[in-house]
Amino acid sequence: MPNEKVLQSKKELVLALTEKLQNAVSGVIVDYKGISVADDTKLRKELREAGVDYFVVKNTMLRFAAKNANLEELNGVLEGTTAIALSQDAVAPAKILAAFADKQKDVFNIKAGFVEGKVLSVDGVNELAKLPSREVLIAKALGGLNAPISGFANVLNANLRGLVIALNQIAEKQSA
């Protein structure tokens, strides 16, 4: 039986991990067994630049934290080596880790993920990775909202151009 100090530190670790899971918009769980240090360093740098928190975690600790965060469906994939990427961006961890997994098929695999409390399978994470970034989606939405305004401005400009042409023709006839 572990002593009280060890047990307390594990409880604190689970609480901290639970809070991270609850505060994250999305997360991806991966199996990283066999990845080289150089590749891991590059991956961690890319994730850090995208604002993604990535760390290795013990399956038992993650199992308790997932239960506390109402993500118990993740428990089925918590075997072997496990790392988790958490982010406030719904797409970033899936995009980066899916691209990396495609390059490192033999040693790096996605296990599962979640977005806003909904657990995703490997296929779900891969579909999420195919979505455009948040900025692109916002730009498309704004472009769609801007289209009617642009069309209205073009109609007004066309009428104004027609008026200018008509006035020019009248002025030419009067001066001739």
Side-chain angles (χ1 to χ4, degrees):
M1 186 81 186
N3 68 28
E4 190 61 35
K5 191 174 184 180
V6 171
L7 194 57
Q8 185 60 32
S9 71
K10 287 182 179 184
K11 285 180 181 179
E12 289 172 7
L13 179 68
V14 169
L15 282 175
L17 189 53
T18 300
E19 187 176 325
K20 285 183 178 187
L21 288 172
Q22 289 172 334
N23 292 334
V25 172
S26 69
V28 177
I29 298 172
V30 297
D31 178 358
Y32 64 91
K33 188 175 185 175
I35 186 174
S36 72
V37 173
D39 288 338
D40 186 50
T41 302
K42 280 191 264 184
L43 174 64
R44 286 175 184 269
K45 182 177 186 272
E46 187 177 355
L47 289 165
R48 194 171 32 256
E49 288 171 354
V52 178
D53 189 17
Y54 176 78
F55 51 94
V56 173
V57 64
K58 290 187 175 198
N59 290 322
T60 306
M61 299 297 134
L62 186 53
R63 196 170 282 118
F64 285 122
K67 181 180 180 196
N68 293 343
N70 294 319
L71 295 168
E72 292 160 325
E73 294 173 59
L74 294 174
N75 290 345
V77 299
L78 299 180
E79 297 173 357
T81 56
T82 301
I84 188 166
L86 301 172
S87 178
Q88 294 303 311
D89 184 335
V91 180
K95 256 188 190 321
I96 294 168
L97 293 172
F100 189 79
D102 283 344
K103 293 181 215 167
Q104 303 282 332
K105 290 180 194 231
D106 296 335
V107 295
F108 191 88
N109 298 300
I110 294 173
K111 292 182 177 184
F114 67 92
V115 175
E116 296 180 353
K118 184 179 184 301
V119 175
L120 303 173
S121 66
V122 175
D123 293 334
V125 173
N126 287 327
E127 286 300 314
L128 182 63
K130 293 176 187 173
L131 287 176
S133 69
R134 181 176 185 265
E135 292 78 17
V136 171
L137 290 174
I138 290 171
K140 284 183 179 183
L142 290 177
L145 292 173
N146 195 24
I149 297 168
S150 298
F152 183 64
N154 286 336
V155 167
L156 291 177
N157 281 338
N159 289 338
L160 188 59
R161 280 191 294 265
L163 178 63
V164 170
I165 291 170
L167 290 175
N168 282 341
Q169 290 173 351
I170 292 171
E172 286 176 9
K173 285 182 183 177
Q174 288 178 351
S175 63

